[in-house]
């Protein structure tokens, strides 16, 4: 129902910053709750950040709170994740996620996934 394409990943030194972008496209005019998840090698996919339809409400997993900021531009059908003060433990594949009906604060609430973008933080 919606296609999601991530970009902006890469290699950065500890303490550096990256901004991830997610471009959404589809046939419906409905708005989507959006969010970001990440998955490190050998670990389960975990929730990172979520934003509601209007962009007023946001939720973050505790380890990234104060360092990451999720935002959206509905005119551009895009969602962003600004990642500051990056740590080696942030290294993972980051996935954009969407749902028409729920805040995407857990894997089970996600209706659509992007393909992922690699973020690597070196020490």
């Amino acid at each position: 129902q919606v296609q999601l394409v991530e970009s902006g990943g890469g290699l950065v030194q500890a303490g550096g910053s990256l901004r991830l972008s997610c471009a959404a496209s589809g046939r419906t005019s409905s708005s989507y709750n959006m969010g970001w998840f990440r998955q490190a090698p050998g670990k389960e996919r975990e929730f990172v950040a979520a934003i509601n339809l209007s962009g007023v409400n946001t939720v973050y997993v505790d380890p990234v709170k104060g360092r990451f900021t999720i935002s959206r531009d509905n005119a551009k059908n895009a969602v962003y994740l600004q990642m500051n003060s990056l740590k080696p433990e942030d290294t993972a594949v980051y996935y954009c996620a969407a749902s028409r009906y729920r805040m995407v604060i857990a894997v089970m609430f996600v209706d659509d996934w992007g393909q992922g973008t690699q973020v690597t933080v070196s020490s």
Side-chain angles (χ1 to χ4, degrees):
Q1 73 192 100
V2 63
Q3 297 179 28
L4 306 173
V5 180
E6 303 96 332
S7 63
L11 175 64
V12 65
Q13 293 183 3
S17 298
L18 287 172
R19 189 180 77 155
L20 306 184
S21 298
C22 176
S25 62
R27 300 184 302 274
T28 180
S29 61
S30 298
S31 297
Y32 291 85
N33 299 280
M34 304 292 293
W36 292 92
F37 291 71
R38 65 187 181 186
Q39 188 166 19
K43 297 186 177 181
E44 293 186 351
R45 192 168 299 187
E46 67 173 349
F47 166 75
V48 177
I51 190 165
N52 74 336
L53 296 175
S54 67
V56 172
N57 298 123
T58 58
V59 181
Y60 301 91
V61 68
D62 193 66
V64 311
K65 196 167 187 178
R67 299 189 297 122
F68 292 8
T69 302
I70 187 171
S71 61
R72 68 189 301 161
D73 186 341
N74 287 338
K76 296 181 178 179
N77 281 339
V79 64
Y80 309 97
L81 186 67
Q82 179 66 47
M83 310 166 68
N84 298 328
S85 301
L86 282 162
K87 304 175 180 179
E89 50 263 47
D90 295 318
T91 295
V93 177
Y94 283 70
Y95 297 90
C96 184
S99 173
R100 283 190 63 190
Y101 306 110
R102 305 176 181 91
M103 291 278 286
V104 287
I105 59 174
V107 168
M108 65 181 297
F109 299 152
V110 176
D111 295 321
D112 298 283
W113 296 98
Q115 292 278 17
T117 185
Q118 177 71 48
V119 171
T120 303
V121 184
S122 62
S123 60

